[in-house]
Amino acid sequence: MSVTANLVAIIILSRGRCHLSRCISYYLVAVAVSDFLVILTAVIFKRIGRIYFRYSVMSTTPASALSAVLIYISRDCSVWLTAAFTIDRFVAICWQSLKVIYCTEKTASIVIGTICALSCIKNLPFYFVCQPLVIVDGVPWFCDIRSTYYTLPAWQAYHWLDRILTPFLPFFLIFLLNILTVRHILAASRARRRLRGTEDSGDKEIANRRRSIILLFAISLSFLLLWVTYVGNFIFVRAIGKGYISNLNFNDPQYILQETSIVLTLLSSCNNVFIYVLSQNKFREEVKKMFLCPFTMLISFIKP
C-alpha cells in the first residue's frame, strides 16, 4: 500500500497538475521518492527478504552491509527532505523578504541534490561496521556489528553524530519552525480579522490558515510520535551499555523494543504523502482520474 501510494504521488506530482508551485512540487516529489526507497530497501529487501528468503544472496554479509548503507541513505534523505520542505514553507510564509530568493526551483534543486550527496557520504562508513555473523563453507552470512563500534572513540563519535543528525536535529528544526509558522499564521489571522471585521466562518482566508495550522501540527505530532520510540531505544541501549541485537529473537523484550522502534520510523515514510498531499482536493481529483483512466479508455474503445 505504501509503495503504491508513493508511486502514485511521484507520478501525479511529476505531471504538475496539482496547482502547486514547481518549487513545492520538487520537494514533494523528492520526499515521495526517498520514502519509496525507504520502503523498498528497509521493508521489501531487508525485512521481508530476511524472514522469507533468509539464505538468499541478499543475506550474505557484503550484500547485507550494502543494504544497510542504502537503508541509512534513503532514511536520511527522507527525514532531511521533510525538514528542507518545512524550511521552505517557513520562509515562504514568515520571511517574505527572502521568499523571492530562496523559494525558487534552482534553490530547491540545489538543496535536494546537496541532501542526497551528503547522505551518501555520511553513511558510507556503516559498510565497515558490519562483520559476518556466521561463516558457512567460506561464505560469510548475515551481519553483526563489530564490538569496536561500541569501544573505539572514533566509532562512538560517529555513532553520536549519526543520531544527532538523524533524527534529533531535523526533529528540532521541524518542531521549532512549525511553532514559529503557526505563531505567524495566528498573528496574521488576528490582524486580518480586525481589519475586515468579519467572523471566522465568513472569511475564507482565515479558514485556509486554520487548515494550515492543523496540517503543521499533524506534521510535527506525526514525526514526534513515530520517532520517539527510536530515540528512546537509543537512550536505553546507551544507558544499559549493551549493543543492538542482530539475531532474530522474538522472545527478547529488547529485540521487540528495537524492532518496534524501527517499524514506527518506517511508518514515517508511509504517511508523509498523506499528510502533505492527500489533504489537497486537486491531488485527490488527479488520483481519481488516474485510477479511472483504464476504465475510461476501455469504455471509449468499446463504444463505436
Side-chain angles (χ1 to χ4, degrees):
M1 180 64 182
S2 59
V3 173
T4 304
N6 282 303
L7 283 176
V8 169
I10 293 170
I11 295 172
I12 292 178
L13 291 170
S14 299
R15 297 169 66 183
R17 298 180 180 178
C18 295
H19 295 173
L20 298 171
S21 68
R22 293 185 62 85
C23 176
I24 294 176
S25 297
Y26 280 11
Y27 282 114
L28 293 179
V29 170
V31 170
V33 170
S34 61
D35 287 343
F36 172 77
L37 293 177
V38 170
I39 301 301
L40 191 67
T41 56
V43 178
I44 297 178
F45 288 163
K46 184 176 178 61
R47 300 284 159 178
I48 296 178
R50 187 182 182 189
I51 295 175
Y52 296 102
F53 306 97
R54 193 173 185 184
Y55 292 99
S56 66
V57 66
M58 293 300 297
S59 296
T60 59
T61 301
S64 296
L66 179 60
S67 175
V69 173
L70 294 177
I71 291 171
Y72 283 120
I73 291 174
S74 57
R75 177 206 65 176
D76 283 9
C77 287
S78 176
V79 172
W80 276 102
L81 286 172
T82 303
F85 180 53
T86 304
I87 295 172
D88 179 85
R89 186 174 61 253
F90 167 77
V91 173
I93 296 175
C94 304
W95 208 336
Q96 295 295 320
S97 60
L98 188 60
K99 176 182 177 181
V100 179
I101 301 175
Y102 184 81
C103 300
T104 62
E105 301 173 30
K106 181 179 180 180
T107 302
S109 301
I110 293 174
V111 171
I112 293 170
T114 302
I115 288 175
C116 294
L118 292 179
S119 297
C120 293
I121 295 173
K122 167 185 168 292
N123 291 293
L124 284 178
F126 276 115
Y127 184 87
F128 305 99
V129 173
C130 301
Q131 65 179 2
L133 184 62
V134 294
I135 298 179
V136 180
D137 296 330
V139 179
W141 289 95
F142 311 113
C143 276
D144 191 16
I145 300 176
R146 299 179 184 274
S147 59
T148 54
Y149 184 68
Y150 302 101
T151 56
L152 290 181
W155 279 122
Q156 284 293 285
Y158 177 76
H159 183 58
W160 278 101
L161 178 65
D162 174 64
R163 293 304 184 268
I164 290 173
L165 292 178
T166 307
F168 288 101
L169 184 56
F171 169 77
F172 174 76
L173 287 174
I174 291 173
F175 187 75
L176 176 62
L177 293 181
N178 275 282
I179 290 177
L180 295 176
T181 305
V182 168
R183 288 183 57 188
H184 179 86
I185 291 175
L186 290 175
S189 298
R190 287 193 295 267
R192 181 181 178 86
R193 191 180 301 113
R194 287 194 298 268
L195 290 174
R196 291 175 60 92
T198 59
E199 298 294 332
D200 290 356
S201 58
D203 195 333
K204 293 183 178 180
E205 182 65 22
I206 291 180
N208 291 334
R209 291 181 185 275
R210 184 182 294 111
R211 285 194 292 269
S212 298
I213 294 172
I214 295 174
L215 178 61
L216 294 178
F217 273 123
I219 294 168
S220 300
L221 186 60
S222 172
F223 194 86
L224 172 63
L225 293 177
L226 294 176
W227 279 91
V228 66
T229 307
Y230 182 87
V231 175
N233 182 61
F234 168 74
I235 296 174
F236 174 73
V237 170
R238 304 307 303 174
I240 65 176
K242 294 176 62 176
Y244 295 100
I245 301 175
S246 57
N247 60 314
L248 295 174
N249 186 0
F250 297 101
N251 296 320
D252 189 337
Q254 184 182 346
Y255 179 79
I256 295 174
L257 175 62
Q258 173 182 300
E259 294 301 299
T260 301
S261 66
I262 295 175
V263 169
L264 291 176
T265 60
L266 294 177
L267 287 177
S268 180
S269 297
C270 302
N271 70 345
N272 281 339
V273 175
F274 295 94
I275 293 176
Y276 284 119
V277 184
L278 291 185
S279 60
Q280 300 187 18
N281 294 330
K282 190 60 181 176
F283 184 86
R284 289 197 293 269
E285 293 176 5
E286 292 298 319
V287 172
K288 292 178 182 178
K289 291 179 182 179
M290 175 177 289
F291 284 101
L292 291 176
C293 182
F295 301 100
T296 305
M297 294 178 61
L298 180 61
I299 292 175
S300 62
F301 179 78
I302 294 176
K303 286 184 178 181

